[in-house]
Amino acid sequence: MRFIKSLFILSIAGIMTANAEKKSFTLDDLIPGGKTSGQFRPESLKGTSFWGDTFVYQKGDSILSDPRALRSADLPIITLENLNKALEKQGMKPLKGLPAFSYAKDQTQTVAYFFAEQKALSYDFAKNEIVETIPYEAGDNSFDFNATRSAIAVNNGSRLFIIDRGGNRKEVSTNDPGDIVWGQSVHRNEFGIHKGTFWSPKGDKLAFYRMDETMVKTYPLVNVLARQGELQNIKYPMAGLKSHEVTLGVYDLKNDKTVYLKTGATMNRSEKEPKDDYLTNIAWTPDQKQILIAELNRDQNKMDLNAYDAATGDFIKTLITETSDKYVEPEHPAQFLNETGKQFIWLSDRDGFKHIYLYDMNGKQLKQLTSGEWVVKDVVKIDDKGENIFYVSNEGNPIGQQLYRVNVKSGKRTRLTREGGTHYTRLNASGTAFYDHYTSLKNPGKAELVKVANQKGFTLLEAADPYAEYAMPEIELGSLKSADGKSDLYYRLTKPVNFDPARKYPVIVYLYNGPHSQMVTDNWQGGIRGWDIYMAQKGYVIFTIDGRGTDYRGADFEQAIHGKLGEQEGKDQMKGIEFLKSHPWVDANRIGIHGWSYGGFMTTYMMLTYPETFKVGVAGGPVIDWKLYEVMYGERYMGHPDKNKAGYEYSNLLNKAENLQGRLLMIHGDMDPVVVMQHSLLFLQKSVEKRVYPDYFIYPGHEHNVRGEDRVHLHEKITRYFEDYL
């Protein structure tokens, strides 16, 4: 035993010596925005895309179309030199580097598309000439091309325009009185919404959101960086208050007319009631005759997938209705199997986990195509014949992601990605091959081109460990049981560099633990953040656990927090604390906690609910009172304030301020339009009233997140706070 113990000590000493010889990190190395942070990103292929069925990628100043060109002198399809010659013929300035390209889906068209000098350009790389130019104006954004690329929809301020191939500019928006926003994302980017324009399959009609914010109270933000502070008002619909009203218009390019869909037909409200239901997941039928919309009532406990006549705006029928005693949250539009438009797929978690269902246009469910205690994250592609559906899921590994194919007729599922970890994939036009970039805990990145038929891959790139010359901490992934004993909770434990089990170490719990989040993942370094590595280098244990309320674990797991935010998440976080305290090398008297946004709420909640446990906390952009948060998110998880007074009182951290015992630093951007600074300021007011003493720091000019070079300062501020008080 003495001999074995001596070997163990020698082994540890050897590791410590080896680590001691390696380099140390600075925050500039590890934090995005830092002067040297770029060098620590694992190598990856640039400019990856498909031109029809052909894979293309960037290497230096060239776009290559053959993977073998990584090891040979094959000729590229595009070079910067040739592109600049083509631009010069148009009287345009040369580019210093290759732009981001998109490519024609039809491989007989040797065309790549890009932007330069306020123009949308079409470049024929076989002829080496610019074949089409569509000019746009300063302030234009959200460029949305139709299928034939004969027209482009753009936003400019709150207005919506269409620019045709000849450069003619037509305004779709009108000068209606009030605060109207045209063709932009609505409902504050909830329900999977990320844009506001939707071209018809043939490209001669444009569906668009029209959002009336007139009834929403204006919220003031002040830009203190101006010579004299400037008022910058935003529209911010808070829980329980008036929300904006959204309609969906359809503009016909052929007759220059707009019709509005007569939505709300199934909401059972009178004409006098606010039109505050939610219109989401817009989908055209292949024949352009109908538009499908997922409509939710304001309570978000009932969803109707409704079909409307695209020519008249008339309601046709309800295809699917889903209800819940908590909430329904559609995030994926209907997708049609093929051009016939007779059948479509719909993603739903009605059986407890998000899966794929097949329907016909009469609203009849034909079959459930996937099932099991795992979730379909997204549908990547449906092949041209509508026979196979390609999707990504976490089947077999809740913290990973794989590409699968399911046959519509037989229901047979085939896993197409081979190795473990988290895979990000893109299929070619015919669905016969896919590009696969994947990582795992010990794999910094591998890229392959894979044939669907036999899952055989050609390796394009294997990234080297960018941290190889640096002293790195040991990172452990594992699982614990939730507080109710029903679910596995996945954690990431990061031990200090040169870890010595005979010592006692302070711990920092980094958390988010809110909806639509997963902090612990089976990808490179377990999804660890640069700041975690930095603090491990300074001798801290860093611990993160995804408790109930987080994503990709099924409806019951996510919805366990409904109506009383903080309670169940807090209990699960304390299971993590129990686990930490079971290790003799954890200093139970020196436990800190840190998080941002929902994590800022949870940090504050934990400091006030378990004051005997946490010595130090840093809460960034924290929600304090959920009545002050936005309607869509707040009412989904908490209900209407008038209907859930007890829940809102429980989750209102102003009511717990007097419990503060440890050192708490709150940080806020003074231009935050997501969690307005009113939250943390009211907490300061309550702290004065209760004679407790949090610390406070403001980042002038920053919104919900501190970005750019100032992000390094932010993490230095956080580091110093833990160094000073933990």
Side-chain angles (χ1 to χ4, degrees), residues 496-625:
V497 173
N498 297 325
F499 175 73
D500 179 358
R503 290 182 54 189
K504 284 200 176 283
Y505 293 97
V507 176
I508 299 173
V509 174
Y510 176 73
L511 82 170
Y512 186 85
N513 209 148
H516 296 290
S517 72
Q518 188 177 48
M519 308 299 290
V520 181
T521 51
D522 187 10
N523 59 8
W524 174 231
Q525 302 287 10
I528 197 171
R529 305 180 315 142
W531 185 76
D532 296 11
I533 296 172
Y534 183 73
M535 295 306 285
Q537 179 181 275
K538 296 178 77 69
Y540 293 84
V541 173
I542 307 296
F543 182 77
T544 294
I545 189 167
D546 286 327
R548 285 170 294 163
T550 56
D551 211 353
Y552 307 126
R553 301 297 308 284
D556 288 346
F557 189 92
E558 181 184 288
Q559 295 183 355
I561 66 175
H562 182 263
K564 212 173 183 181
L565 297 182
E567 183 179 42
Q568 302 305 324
E569 309 97 299
K571 291 178 180 178
D572 284 350
Q573 290 295 325
M574 290 306 292
K575 296 299 291 186
I577 296 297
E578 289 179 20
F579 169 70
L580 289 168
K581 288 182 176 180
S582 70
H583 295 90
W585 36 266
V586 166
D587 187 343
N589 295 317
R590 298 174 67 198
I591 297 178
I593 189 166
H594 168 46
W596 203 275
S597 194
Y598 199 100
F601 162 72
M602 284 303 302
T603 294
T604 310
Y605 174 89
M606 298 300 287
M607 290 285 292
L608 303 179
T609 308
Y610 304 97
E612 70 288 346
T613 299
F614 299 97
K615 185 178 180 182
V616 180
V618 178
V623 176
I624 298 298
D625 180 354

Side-chain angles (χ1 to χ4, degrees), residues 315-328:
F315 168 74
I316 298 175
K317 68 174 65 173
T318 297
L319 299 172
I320 302 173
T321 295
E322 295 185 353
T323 60
S324 170
D325 60 350
K326 295 184 175 67
Y327 58 86
V328 182

Side-chain angles (χ1 to χ4, degrees), residues 149-188:
R149 298 190 74 90
S150 60
I152 178 174
V154 298
N155 297 132
N156 196 310
S158 61
R159 300 159 71 187
L160 174 63
F161 299 86
I162 292 177
I163 310 170
D164 67 19
R165 195 170 264 164
N168 300 306
R169 188 180 183 92
K170 168 67 179 179
E171 183 167 6
V172 178
S173 47
T174 58
N175 294 321
D176 294 355
D179 295 305
I180 313 294
V181 178
W182 301 77
Q184 298 183 28
S185 179
V186 298
H187 305 319
R188 296 186 68 85

Side-chain angles (χ1 to χ4, degrees), residues 246-309:
V246 173
T247 51
L248 194 80
V250 179
Y251 175 75
D252 191 324
L253 277 68
K254 293 180 179 178
N255 60 24
D256 192 27
K257 291 183 178 179
T258 297
V259 299
Y260 286 90
L261 305 189
K262 300 167 186 176
T263 55
T266 63
M267 290 295 107
N268 297 319
R269 53 171 165 75
S270 70
E271 285 297 319
K272 294 182 179 180
E273 290 181 296
K275 298 176 182 178
D276 53 7
D277 39 286
Y278 302 116
L279 308 183
T280 75
N281 300 279
I282 310 302
W284 283 89
T285 55
D287 62 7
Q288 299 195 149
K289 292 182 178 179
Q290 298 180 35
I291 294 177
L292 308 189
I293 307 177
E295 297 184 52
L296 287 90
N297 60 348
R298 173 148 174 180
D299 288 338
Q300 301 182 50
N301 57 13
K302 177 178 179 285
M303 185 282 301
D304 291 326
L305 180 64
N306 290 332
Y308 291 88
D309 188 311

Side-chain angles (χ1 to χ4, degrees), residues 25-207:
F25 294 104
T26 67
L27 281 173
D28 271 304
D29 294 333
L30 295 171
I31 303 302
K35 297 176 182 177
T36 51
S37 61
Q39 65 179 310
F40 294 103
R41 298 190 188 100
E43 184 184 3
S44 62
L45 291 182
K46 296 180 180 179
T48 59
S49 188
F50 278 103
W51 163 40
D53 278 349
T54 298
F55 178 70
V56 297
Y57 62 95
Q58 181 178 341
K59 185 178 182 182
D61 286 336
S62 299
I63 299 294
L64 307 177
S65 65
D66 185 348
R68 290 172 297 178
L70 286 169
R71 302 198 301 263
S72 70
D74 288 2
L75 293 175
I77 63 170
I78 298 175
T79 67
L80 180 61
E81 181 181 3
N82 284 342
L83 177 62
N84 280 333
K85 288 179 181 178
L87 290 172
E88 184 180 0
K89 292 178 184 177
Q90 297 289 318
M92 298 178 65
K93 297 177 182 178
L95 301 175
K96 294 181 180 179
L98 287 173
F101 290 109
S102 58
Y103 300 86
K105 294 181 180 179
D106 181 356
Q107 206 164 326
T108 63
Q109 299 179 27
T110 55
V111 179
Y113 310 102
F114 67 101
F115 293 93
E117 294 186 24
Q118 287 189 195
K119 296 180 180 70
L121 303 167
S122 299
Y123 171 54
D124 188 322
F125 47 83
K127 297 178 180 178
N128 194 39
E129 62 182 28
I130 304 298
V131 293
E132 195 167 81
T133 300
I134 302 178
Y136 57 90
E137 297 181 359
D140 285 350
N141 58 75
S142 304
F143 302 95
D144 187 6
F145 283 93
N146 66 2
T148 63
R149 298 190 74 90
S150 60
I152 178 174
V154 298
N155 297 132
N156 196 310
S158 61
R159 300 159 71 187
L160 174 63
F161 299 86
I162 292 177
I163 310 170
D164 67 19
R165 195 170 264 164
N168 300 306
R169 188 180 183 92
K170 168 67 179 179
E171 183 167 6
V172 178
S173 47
T174 58
N175 294 321
D176 294 355
D179 295 305
I180 313 294
V181 178
W182 301 77
Q184 298 183 28
S185 179
V186 298
H187 305 319
R188 296 186 68 85
N189 301 315
E190 297 293 336
F191 316 107
I193 300 171
H194 63 276
K195 65 173 195 168
T197 54
F198 311 88
W199 284 104
S200 64
K202 296 177 184 178
D204 53 9
K205 293 183 178 182
L206 178 71

Side-chain angles (χ1 to χ4, degrees), residues 442-458:
K442 301 297 184 182
N443 168 25
K446 189 172 182 179
E448 295 182 327
L449 192 61
V450 184
K451 291 183 178 180
V452 169
N454 55 17
Q455 290 87 61
K456 288 187 177 180
F458 177 85

